Amino acid sequence: MYNACIAAIDATRGRLFHYQRTADGSGMHESFVEDESLVNPARHERPSELFSDKPGSSRVAAHGFGLDDHRDYNLDKLDETFARWVLARIRELCDQHHSERVIVCASPRMLGHLRACRNGILGEGQILVEVPRDYTKLAPDELRDRLAAHHLLPSAPPRS
């Protein structure tokens, strides 16, 4: 039996999947199921909704030079909070499905946020594999094929 929890994450959403492959007397059986789709509500808002444009907070001063209102820092904090939330959900799914492997597909920037807050998330003996690619927009079959191409999942059986 082979169990894996797969996460495809970017700054706006996280898609969580569970893969299971078993063999019995009737042959090989596998399932690749999307368990949950998480949305980062802060990243679905316009900057004008997230940040104040009141006097003194503008990005360009009256004299034409730029001011740093720390928007990039604040966006990083929002992404880090989302990464922590997604990791907690991954842990719950791993516990639910008894997954021995966690495969995380994310952009390099999001992988950095995930690495920064992953301590204590994985269970003992679980293997974490990072794929520095944004696969959040792929259909489940496409994602499964890409992971097999990276040799992270067994080759897919022929589709009928």
Side-chain angles (χ1 to χ4, degrees):
M1 183 161 76
Y2 182 92
N3 273 332
C5 181
I6 296 115
I9 309 164
D10 67 11
T12 60
R13 69 181 183 159
R15 296 174 63 204
L16 307 180
F17 300 84
H18 174 250
Y19 174 82
Q20 184 176 36
R21 188 174 206 175
T22 58
D24 61 18
S26 63
M28 191 73 66
H29 305 282
E30 85 170 28
S31 66
F32 188 80
V33 178
E34 184 168 358
D35 289 309
E36 193 168 359
S37 183
L38 307 170
V39 176
N40 185 355
R43 282 304 204 125
H44 285 278
E45 295 180 9
R46 293 185 303 265
S48 63
E49 295 170 323
L50 287 173
F51 304 108
S52 172
D53 282 335
K54 60 186 171 190
S57 69
S58 177
R59 291 182 79 85
V60 179
H63 301 289
F65 59 87
L67 296 176
D68 184 8
D69 64 357
H70 307 289
R71 289 181 187 205
D72 293 336
Y73 172 80
N74 289 326
L75 285 174
D76 279 345
K77 287 297 176 190
L78 292 172
D79 292 348
E80 187 177 310
T81 300
F82 182 63
R84 200 173 288 117
W85 179 46
V86 171
L87 283 171
R89 289 298 303 136
I90 290 170
R91 175 62 188 259
E92 290 173 14
L93 282 175
C94 286
D95 290 345
Q96 177 184 344
H97 295 291
H98 308 288
S99 299
E100 62 258 4
R101 180 176 296 251
V102 179
I103 302 169
V104 176
C105 307
S107 66
R109 184 179 178 101
M110 183 53 75
L111 276 177
H113 291 301
L114 293 164
R115 281 185 202 120
C117 54
R118 75 173 179 215
N119 289 339
I121 297 295
L122 291 179
E124 193 170 321
Q126 282 182 325
I127 299 166
L128 174 68
V129 179
E130 296 175 350
V131 179
R133 301 272 191 277
D134 182 1
Y135 288 155
T136 56
K137 293 177 179 73
L138 295 179
D141 287 342
E142 292 176 294
L143 176 59
R144 197 250 175 271
D145 291 343
R146 296 274 176 101
L147 294 175
H150 288 295
H151 306 291
L152 298 173
L153 294 179
S155 297
R159 293 185 183 114
S160 32

